[in-house]
């Protein structure tokens, strides 16, 4: 069994199971500092001043398309296998958050035409998952593939992916 967030060993053959992460898990562990154009989210965890969350240009491009189709957005990362292993994008407020969730950060995008304020997209994680990933910096990326379950990008031919590294 591979621990949460750890890449699957390369020697393990793909099984075709629904939860088989294949190369995606290895890609998720690449050094995110080498990705040009990454945008840091505003920190939201109490007591933190440095961002633990960032978005790649590919993720922002997909977010812009989804915003144009669906309006204000939010993300939630639960944990577990399959759909819970990927960040899920919803219309803002469509996924109910509460005391069992931690708001890690807020992506700020420029206002759309005629709007005076920047657009804000919150990124939430279950408190249980945050306890496991508290030592990591997360970079949200978009890659070719089918999105997860109820996530808004599912029919778009791309999916959101978390790339992680240790906080420094």
């Amino acid at each position: 069994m591979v621990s949460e967030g750890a890449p699957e060993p390369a020697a393990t053959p793909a099984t075709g199971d629904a939860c088989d992460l294949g190369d995606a898990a290895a890609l998720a562990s690449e050094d995110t500092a080498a990705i040009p154009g990454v945008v840091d989210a505003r920190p939201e965890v109490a007591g933190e001043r440095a961002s633990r969350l960032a978005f790649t240009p590919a993720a922002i491009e997909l977010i812009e398309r989804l915003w144009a189709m669906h309006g204000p957005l939010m993300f939630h990362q639960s944990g577990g296998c399959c759909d819970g292993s990927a960040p899920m994008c919803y219309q803002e407020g469509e996924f109910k958050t509460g005391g069992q969730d931690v708001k890690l950060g807020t992506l700020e995008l420029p206002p759309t035409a005629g709007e005076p304020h920047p657009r804000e997209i919150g990124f939430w994680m279950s408190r249980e998952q945050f306890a496991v990933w508290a030592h990591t910096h997360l970079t949200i990326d978009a890659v070719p593939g089918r999105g997860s379950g109820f996530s808004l990008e599912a029919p778009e031919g791309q999916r959101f992916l978390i790339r992680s590294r240790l906080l420094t």
Side-chain angles (χ1 to χ4, degrees), residues 45-130:
V45 175
E48 292 187 356
R49 293 195 280 175
S51 181
R52 64 169 50 249
L53 180 67
F55 293 79
T56 67
I60 292 171
E61 182 180 314
L62 181 54
I63 289 166
E64 290 281 12
R65 286 195 339 249
L66 294 172
W67 186 289
M69 290 186 281
H70 303 284
L73 305 170
M74 67 178 286
F75 280 89
H76 191 271
Q77 172 73 43
S78 60
C81 187
C82 304
D83 287 352
S85 300
M88 304 286 279
C89 182
Y90 301 98
Q91 287 180 309
E92 186 177 53
E94 189 171 307
F95 185 92
K96 302 299 180 205
T97 58
Q100 75 282 4
D101 299 297
V102 176
K103 189 173 188 182
L104 298 185
T106 300
L107 174 64
E108 295 178 326
L109 295 176
T112 56
E115 294 293 322
H117 302 288
R119 295 170 289 156
E120 296 189 344
I121 301 165
F123 189 99
W124 299 82
M125 178 179 280
S126 72
R127 188 168 302 284
E128 182 179 15
Q129 185 72 7
F130 181 68

Side-chain angles (χ1 to χ4, degrees), residues 125-166:
M125 178 179 280
S126 72
R127 188 168 302 284
E128 182 179 15
Q129 185 72 7
F130 181 68
V132 176
W133 285 21
H135 62 283
T136 58
H137 179 278
L138 306 176
T139 301
I140 312 308
D141 199 0
V143 297
R146 185 173 168 352
S148 299
F150 298 107
S151 195
L152 292 175
E153 83 279 7
E156 300 303 311
Q158 286 187 287
R159 63 187 178 92
F160 290 109
L161 173 80
I162 288 186
R163 299 182 186 277
S164 63
R165 63 175 168 81
L166 290 177

